[in-house]
Amino acid sequence: MKRYSYWIFLLFLFACSTGSQRLPYEAGNEVFGLAGPVKLQKDTSSLYMEDYFIDVDRIDSVSIHTGSELIFSGDQKILKVIPGENASWMMNLKIWIDGVPYSIPLEKSAKEKVVFTFDPGEEKYKMVQMAGEINGWNPAATPLEKSGEVWKTTLLLNPGTYQYQIVADGKWMLDPRNPDSVDNNAGGFNSLMQVGDTDDSKFPPLYTIDHTGQNIHLGVEHAAKFYIYWQNIRLPENFYQLKERGLFVNIPAQAKDYKRSYLRAWAVNEYGISNDILIPLENGKVIGNTDQLSRHDHHAMILYNVFVDRFYNADTTNDRPLNIPEVKPQADYHGGDIQGVTEKIRAGYFEELGVNSIWISPVVKNPEGPYGQWPDPPTKFSAYHGYWPISFTEVDDRYGTEEDLKEMVETAHQHGMNVLLDFVANHVHELHPVYQEHPEWATELYLPDGRMNTQLWDEQRLTTWFDTFMPTLDLSKAEVVDMLTDSAVYWIKKYKLDGFRHDATKHVPLVFWRTLTRKLKDEVMIPEGKFLYQIGETYGNPELIGSYVSAGKLDAQFDFNVYDDAIAVFAKNDQGFERLNESIQESLHYYGDHNLMGYITGNQDRPRFISLAGGDLAFEENAKLAGWTREIGVGDPVGYEKLSALTAFMMSIPGIPVIYYGDEIGDPGGNDPDNRRMLRFENLKEKEQKVKDIVEKLTEIRMGNMEMIYGDFETILVHKDEYVFIRSYFEDLSIIAFNNSNEKRTIEFDVPERFDGAELKTNFEGSLKRIENRIRITLPANSFEIISN
């Protein structure tokens, strides 16, 4: 990689002038992991100190920006933060313990009041509600009041674009007075509401330029203030200098004593906060090569979803399908097992694919008989998926034994891989002994108004049952929370697992996640010095999704909103990249530029993307019904190219790429259970093998380039069918370009001036020409390119 002598010279001068500085206090060990940033509410925010500090009783004092107010609870467990009227967009909360000022960065809310008006025209309604991204599509949450001839409500929203519909006397409809709408991926449209100023160009951009020894050079524009942290200590101002050529930061000398530590940075001006910078350090020096990373560096994970029963059958002695007329073969056990996963680890399947972490579907004991009912064709279901637990601790013998699971995890670790277990906290099966003995530990199946409380996903988010035979646990009861969190810790400790994928996260109250994460810290992470990774499943708006992600709750969730926009753009011809770019920018705003969110190629509850992209499955049709009533394939072979482009996008953006089993070969299908076919390892078609080859190359690029893991993200060009963004990490650069049209295109754009001297090369089929910092890349139809230096 090329270094630039000019920057080294500047850094040398800076190093000579500052030397290797020591903080006047040690970093301390009262916080496990990195704290913050915390997004504050408009008025008052409650910070749970046990989310961050090992022992809150040791807190001596707290302080914050002048004009803001702090109120501690009597036991020091909850700190209320009330931002001052003139508070900066970013503030630093300082917590003193034994003379060490620990710091938590806080972000002031950008929410603004919006008066929404619905004009019904000549129509007369008795009740009008609003449903959309603002409220989880729950009309009961946002009733409108009649004001003269119109209906109104006042909302408190962040700047952005929101999809919604009007619900008038129970009828869902587009807003007839609003001409702006967007395809909803289900054969219809939603109205669009624009809130506030979303022009991010006013914010101060921050990016890495170079480093040498203990010094780091950051690029910055029109910034007024800086917030720079090493670990959980905000660096004093004498540790950085703003010069004409950028911001120069001195790494504290104490960092040499840490095998792994981090430097974080933000810039602020009158309009808002910059993107964030995250720089991993090894013994005080910037990590410049991915060879220095391991599976324990979670930003470097590539996750593969193993659906155990449908992955590989290595032990036929534990096969026990129901084989009864009431259950169609697609809904019965297929024989995949834990030994099948172990065998494929040893055979190098995951290593060849470039995957260093696997998430296995639940292997806890499930019932023997069939349950549920699908009307056409009539069928019940076996528990092949593992989501109907009748035990909290037993391994289902149809998947294998306890020893099989221990062996699989040990084998994965020997091959440098993490193993996450899918954990079900929301519900149990009606045959579960706990429910049999304590039916009062479940929520009520019937609501006070007499309605059955099933599948009311948003209206009764924390109490609704998934089905009549699946009681939802009442996790408002401390004894239920304690019992279930103990069960989760048991799996981690007994099998040496590396974390969890949590099912139905938004249907579980926050107290459960706080209790679980605290126990995992106290019993596993702190004693073993091991960071676990927990990722949740929540469908909803970014604010709801993000409310479950923090130092004391989950590390991440799957970003289904980006996935929804990505499949619309890559699979359809009428959706432009503007939609996808806006979506990823929104996610970076909510979750951070170096988030650990999961970015999927598909999942077990959605139709296979390739069948949508190839046209054999229509967006507007019932994908479950289609999977039951006809053989779904790819359709137009262009689906393979579109799938590769989708995968390239997920592999290139910030966050954790997640491959749903079968997507690495372009396996087609409708929705559940047709999207859960038995994985094929041999006799792949030519186009399937090409898809797999591309996945392997993409993972190689991802894992071999620091900018693809810790790099800054910047959009360079966005048109309807053309999209270019860069990932940069100091002098390392990757340019990711997409052509989503049905014809060959030549795309022209400029690279940032700081990369004028970088030598660039393509990795796929694009044709590259360069004149100074002007790039011209020719891409085949429905393709992509990754240009790197």
Side-chain angles (χ1 to χ4, degrees):
M1 299 297 178
K2 185 171 181 179
R3 292 185 176 273
Y4 306 103
S5 58
Y6 178 74
W7 300 125
I8 290 180
F9 175 70
L10 283 179
L11 287 165
F12 175 77
L13 291 179
F14 179 63
C16 291
S17 65
T18 61
S20 180
Q21 294 176 276
R22 289 191 68 85
L23 290 165
Y25 31 73
E26 298 306 312
N29 56 3
E30 295 296 328
V31 179
F32 189 80
L34 299 179
V38 176
K39 291 187 180 296
L40 298 178
Q41 298 299 315
K42 193 72 175 176
D43 44 18
T44 303
S45 301
S46 295
L47 273 62
Y48 290 74
M49 291 291 98
E50 288 186 330
D51 286 357
Y52 309 100
F53 294 93
I54 295 172
D55 185 357
V56 297
D57 292 333
R58 292 172 55 81
I59 295 175
D60 298 322
S61 62
V62 296
S63 63
I64 198 173
H65 181 274
T66 303
S68 297
E69 186 178 358
L70 300 175
I71 303 173
F72 239 139
S73 63
D75 56 7
Q76 296 197 147
K77 290 186 177 181
I78 299 177
L79 178 67
K80 293 187 181 298
V81 181
I82 306 172
E85 184 177 342
N86 298 316
S88 169
W89 285 110
M90 181 165 253
M91 293 168 278
N92 184 63
L93 176 63
K94 194 175 289 186
I95 301 98
W96 291 85
I97 299 180
D98 291 342
V100 178
Y102 296 92
S103 292
I104 301 176
L106 309 177
E107 296 183 7
K108 186 175 75 171
S109 173
K111 287 185 176 180
E112 53 191 78
K113 286 186 177 180
V114 177
V115 177
F116 177 82
T117 302
F118 168 64
D119 183 355
E122 300 299 320
E123 299 292 335
K124 304 297 181 184
Y125 298 110
K126 296 179 180 179
M127 181 175 67
V128 176
Q129 301 163 304
M130 185 182 188
E133 293 177 316
I134 63 168
N135 58 15
W137 297 96
N138 177 17
T142 311
L144 277 64
E145 293 185 0
K146 192 169 185 181
S147 176
E149 298 301 317
V150 299
W151 296 75
K152 291 184 177 182
T153 188
T154 300
L155 307 168
L156 190 63
L157 299 172
N158 280 309
T161 303
Y162 297 85
Q163 298 184 36
Y164 72 97
Q165 287 200 14
I166 297 296
V167 183
D169 290 343
K171 179 184 177 182
W172 291 61
M173 69 178 87
L174 293 176
D175 188 339
R177 300 293 183 268
N178 183 356
D180 296 329
S181 63
V182 66
D183 190 310
N184 66 4
N185 286 355
F189 290 84
N190 294 322
S191 294
L192 283 179
M193 174 174 58
Q194 183 69 43
V195 175
D197 186 356
T198 57
D199 182 9
D200 289 348
S201 66
K202 296 178 179 179
F203 301 160
L206 195 60
Y207 47 89
T208 53
I209 292 181
D210 210 340
H211 63 90
T212 182
Q214 294 292 110
N215 300 282
I216 293 171
H217 180 194
L218 302 178
V220 64
E221 299 170 26
H222 46 83
K225 197 171 184 179
F226 302 98
Y227 291 79
I228 303 173
Y229 298 77
W230 172 67
Q231 293 297 85
N232 295 296
I233 303 292
R234 185 182 180 189
L235 295 184
E237 291 186 0
N238 64 314
F239 273 78
Y240 55 90
Q241 296 181 33
L242 180 61
K243 297 186 177 182
E244 182 180 352
R245 293 289 182 175
L247 185 69
F248 295 85
V249 182
N250 188 227
I251 301 171
Q254 287 96 324
K256 295 178 181 178
D257 301 328
Y258 288 71
K259 169 69 174 176
R260 180 74 78 251
S261 64
Y262 297 89
L263 189 138
R264 297 179 288 166
W266 290 265
V268 178
N269 66 11
E270 61 182 301
Y271 299 107
I273 306 172
S274 71
N275 56 293
D276 65 81
I277 297 292
L278 178 68
I279 301 172
L281 309 173
E282 185 166 291
N283 298 119
K285 293 187 177 181
V286 172
I287 293 179
N289 195 303
T290 58
D291 290 343
Q292 296 173 265
L293 304 176
S294 73
R295 67 183 177 89
H296 302 294
D297 293 291
H298 290 159
H299 286 87
M301 292 194 304
I302 296 178
L303 188 59
Y304 183 97
N305 179 195
V306 174
F307 203 94
V308 175
D309 179 66
R310 305 299 169 90
F311 185 68
Y312 186 65
N313 188 354
D315 181 9
T316 57
T317 64
N318 60 24
D319 291 359
R320 200 161 68 251
L322 297 182
N323 281 336
I324 56 177
E326 296 97 314
V327 177
K328 298 292 183 185
Q330 299 98 311
D332 206 349
Y333 285 88
H334 284 201
D337 47 42
I338 296 168
Q339 285 192 33
V341 181
T342 306
E343 187 170 314
K344 288 302 177 182
I345 295 172
R346 289 184 174 136
Y349 184 78
F350 298 107
E351 185 175 2
E352 182 181 283
L353 200 59
V355 168
N356 66 356
S357 301
I358 58 173
W359 139 38
I360 62 171
S361 55
V363 294
V364 70
K365 189 174 182 180
N366 271 234
E368 292 285 339
Y371 289 84
Q373 183 68 51
W374 179 259
D376 184 21
T379 185
K380 291 181 179 291
F381 297 83
S382 73
Y384 72 93
H385 41 69
Y387 288 99
W388 299 342
I390 60 170
S391 170
F392 289 136
T393 58
E394 294 178 74
V395 174
D396 196 304
D397 67 326
R398 288 163 292 194
Y399 301 131
T401 65
E402 292 183 356
E403 292 307 312
D404 289 337
L405 184 55
K406 287 180 180 178
E407 181 183 17
M408 188 267 282
V409 176
E410 289 173 3
T411 303
H413 289 170
Q414 291 166 4
H415 286 76
M417 295 173 56
N418 295 310
V419 179
L420 309 184
L421 176 67
D422 204 317
F423 188 79
V424 183
N426 174 73
H427 58 265
V428 294
H429 188 274
E430 64 184 6
L431 295 183
H432 198 296
V434 164
Y435 178 66
Q436 296 284 315
E437 296 170 17
H438 296 281
E440 73 278 10
W441 283 4
T443 61
E444 295 293 336
L445 178 57
Y446 290 91
L447 297 171
D449 62 10
R451 288 182 299 153
M452 187 176 287
N453 188 12
T454 55
Q455 300 186 15
L456 299 176
W457 308 125
D458 297 301
E459 181 186 344
Q460 302 292 331
R461 180 165 63 87
L462 297 176
T463 63
T464 195
W465 290 30
F466 280 45
D467 210 326
T468 55
F469 60 88
M470 296 166 63
T472 287
L473 294 170
D474 186 352
L475 291 167
S476 67
K477 299 180 185 293
E479 62 269 35
V480 182
V481 170
D482 199 47
M483 171 196 64
L484 196 54
T485 51
D486 282 347
S487 167
V489 173
Y490 164 87
W491 286 92
I492 294 287
K493 293 173 74 171
K494 180 164 185 173
Y495 297 104
K496 308 300 181 186
L497 294 159
D498 302 291
F500 291 119
R501 179 267 186 185
H502 288 294
D503 187 55
T505 300
K506 76 174 185 180
H507 301 294
V508 176
L510 292 177
V511 64
F512 175 86
W513 303 118
R514 282 198 162 95
T515 304
L516 172 59
T517 299
R518 185 70 204 197
K519 286 184 178 182
L520 289 172
K521 285 182 179 179
D522 290 344
E523 299 184 39
V524 181
M525 289 193 262
I526 294 172
E528 299 180 16
K530 172 183 179 179
F531 287 93
L532 301 173
Y533 176 74
Q534 298 185 85
I535 184 168
E537 176 208 33
T538 291
Y539 289 91
N541 61 45
E543 188 167 9
L544 174 65
I545 293 169
S547 69
Y548 287 84
V549 179
S550 79
K553 292 172 280 188
L554 303 182
D555 299 288
Q557 296 222 62
F558 296 105
D559 193 341
F560 295 119
N561 294 313
V562 165
Y563 178 71
D564 285 340
D565 289 320
I567 63 173
V569 171
F570 283 110
K572 298 181 177 182
N573 294 323
D574 60 348
Q575 298 296 303
F577 275 121
E578 296 91 345
R579 174 177 177 176
L580 184 54
N581 183 63
E582 183 176 333
S583 184
I584 188 65
Q585 295 293 347
E586 179 183 52
S587 286
L588 295 179
H589 169 74
Y590 274 96
Y591 315 129
D593 299 83
H594 294 85
N595 64 73
L596 292 169
M597 301 289 281
Y599 290 92
I600 62 174
T601 62
N603 87 346
Q604 64 205 36
D605 298 319
R606 309 292 288 270
R608 290 281 186 177
F609 169 82
I610 195 169
S611 295
L612 293 169
D616 212 42
L617 183 67
F619 276 89
E620 60 270 19
E621 71 177 309
N622 185 323
K624 279 196 175 188
L625 180 62
W628 280 112
T629 55
R630 61 185 175 85
E631 183 68 26
I632 296 175
V634 173
D636 190 322
V638 73
Y640 292 102
E641 284 73 40
K642 289 177 177 284
L643 174 60
S644 292
L646 174 75
T647 305
F649 175 77
M650 298 300 179
M651 288 286 173
S652 302
I653 61 176
I656 308 302
V658 184
I659 301 171
Y660 179 50
Y661 91 105
D663 282 345
E664 73 269 31
I665 62 171
D667 204 26
N671 207 335
D672 164 24
D674 194 41
N675 58 358
R676 305 172 181 181
R677 302 176 186 180
M678 201 71 183
L679 185 59
R680 295 171 289 118
F681 293 93
E682 299 175 346
N683 301 317
L684 299 181
K685 301 173 184 176
E686 181 180 352
K687 286 190 175 292
E688 292 175 334
Q689 185 61 52
K690 184 177 180 180
V691 167
K692 187 168 181 287
D693 292 342
I694 290 173
V695 170
E696 292 171 5
K697 191 165 186 177
L698 286 168
T699 58
E700 180 183 5
I701 293 171
R702 170 89 181 192
M703 296 299 289
N705 292 275
M706 287 294 293
E707 70 271 22
M708 298 291 273
I709 300 171
Y710 289 102
D712 314 321
F713 177 95
E714 182 181 349
T715 299
I716 298 297
L717 177 148
V718 55
H719 295 154
K720 178 181 179 297
D721 295 322
E722 301 165 5
Y723 189 31
V724 181
F725 58 83
I726 66 170
R727 302 293 307 278
S728 62
Y729 181 79
F730 297 104
E731 70 275 16
D732 297 333
L733 171 71
S734 284
I735 305 169
I736 301 90
F738 295 90
N739 171 21
N740 206 35
S741 73
N742 292 320
E743 60 186 14
K744 183 167 70 173
R745 289 276 181 93
T746 297
I747 305 173
E748 293 190 26
F749 54 91
D750 294 328
V751 295
E753 291 182 4
R754 64 186 184 274
F755 293 107
D756 278 355
E759 296 181 5
L760 301 176
K761 67 177 186 301
T762 59
N763 287 281
F764 294 92
E765 299 177 8
S767 174
L768 174 68
K769 291 184 179 180
R770 178 177 182 176
I771 302 176
E772 296 181 347
N773 70 328
R774 188 71 175 172
I775 300 293
R776 177 181 292 177
I777 181 79
T778 301
L779 299 178
N782 298 293
S783 73
F784 66 92
E785 181 59 80
I786 298 179
I787 305 166
S788 53
N789 66 349

